[in-house]
Amino acid sequence: MRAKASDSRRSQSRAWCALFVAMTMLGGGLVRGQDAPTPDGFVETLVPLGAPREHWAMLNGSDTASPDSRHLVYQERKVKDDALMINGEMGDPFREIYGPVFSPDSKRIAWAATKGGPWKLIVNNEVSLKVRTPVSKPVFSPDSARLAIWSREGKSISLIIDKQVGPTFTQVVRDSLRFSRDSVRHAYVAGRDGRWHMVVDGHPGPDYDIIGSMPEFSPDGARLAFAAGDDDGWWVVADGTPQQRYAQIGSQPTFSPDSNHLAYWAQREADGDWVLVVDGEELAHTSCDAHGGETFSPDSQRIAAVIRQGDGWVVSIDGKAGDVWDAIGQGSFRFSPDSQRYAYGALRDGRWTVVVDGEAHETAKAVSQVGMQFSADSAHFVYAAQRDDRWRVVFDGQDHRAFESIVAESIAFSSDGRQLVYIAADASRQFVVHDGEVIAEADEVRSVAFSPDGEHLAWLARDGHRWRLYVNGEPGAEAF
């Protein structure tokens, strides 16, 4: 795919990219660069972005960081030629580039490219194989070991995976490709002659009038479920076996964390009530005229459903309905890590509250669903709430100091659940707040993070025009 070239100075984009790469401070991995010592033995790494080249311009929006934030790639253009700049080194020019994509482990980068002739799949600057016209970006498996790409020849489309060409189809749902979590299995939706198949591990399954969901592997990879239908109704196919027929299937089938249970929403009659189906049985007290999804507990022994009954919304846990609310915050329900506790956001009479273990906290003008979380030991719960036009973090029901704003995405517990950190702002200053106390301030703060053992706290801060990495309050040697 070709992106529009930027007319702005490339130096501005590169400065932003440098900041983006630096924002993950405590990760690992290899990178070309210059290392500078920082407090407590950490290493601060500078990633070279490459010197400007005459007549070449960076394409806006083409910059991509690896998952570990140790590598950076972006695309440059010179008239009709495109090239990738990887960690500051420019690769060969091509007429067109499709990708690039980093592997989940950040060790490989793949893209498809052509110089006007045959297309090639390239991995780490080495040609992996020749392909027909690609119709998707490359896709890595979760373990980074497998690589797939859709390829078209005439009217035929096939998936190439592990350099092996799969069966051909005239239609494919390109974003339907799914790997199992262990990367051993894969599945996708494809069609020919007006019929649709779920292709599993390279083998097309039975044909259907329509397949209405993406393939869903169980966490252990042993099971697979999806929705299929015809003019007379819909049903879920689980482990190759069609389940009960309904007028409609209303959600992607969901497996429990232990892979033993399967849940989905179904409608008995057109325009009728919905019901939550678990392991083929309709769960009691979940019949409703609308729903907001379901959630399995981490131990797979409990299930919660957000449902609308009449004019109100309730959360039903294990088939038992809770209090009635005007609304339930979409996606706000969560179980604690030990599965014993739960929380969600709810609205009544224009005021929001958070319900924790069935008890409603003090109401607020607004509650941020981002940042709502239990600590890893399940002992604590935290969220951000707005009262009287000021925001504060609420920790175990108690308000911290009020600020003009809270960066809800920054709220984080240490791995042992004993420490809490977040970014807050007042006027033109931003603050690092640790266990309710301000420990640092700057013009701008980003990316607060605990080390895995909880012994160190790092963040990026800017005063004026220069950024610096701080670890345990001590500044790093390099400003950028």
Side-chain angles (χ1 to χ4, degrees), residues 25-26 37-44 439 449-451 455-460 468-477:
M25 291 83 69
L26 302 178
T38 59
D40 302 306
F42 287 99
V43 173
E44 194 173 37
I439 62 171
F450 286 108
S451 59
E455 295 296 320
H456 306 283
L457 177 62
W459 63 87
L460 285 172
R468 196 177 293 273
L469 171 66
Y470 289 79
V471 180
N472 297 338
E474 295 296 325

Side-chain angles (χ1 to χ4, degrees), residues 9-30:
R9 294 181 60 85
R10 187 169 53 163
S11 60
Q12 295 175 340
S13 295
R14 285 182 170 171
W16 183 89
C17 292
L19 173 61
F20 186 83
V21 172
M23 283 174 60
T24 298
M25 291 83 69
L26 302 178
L30 299 176

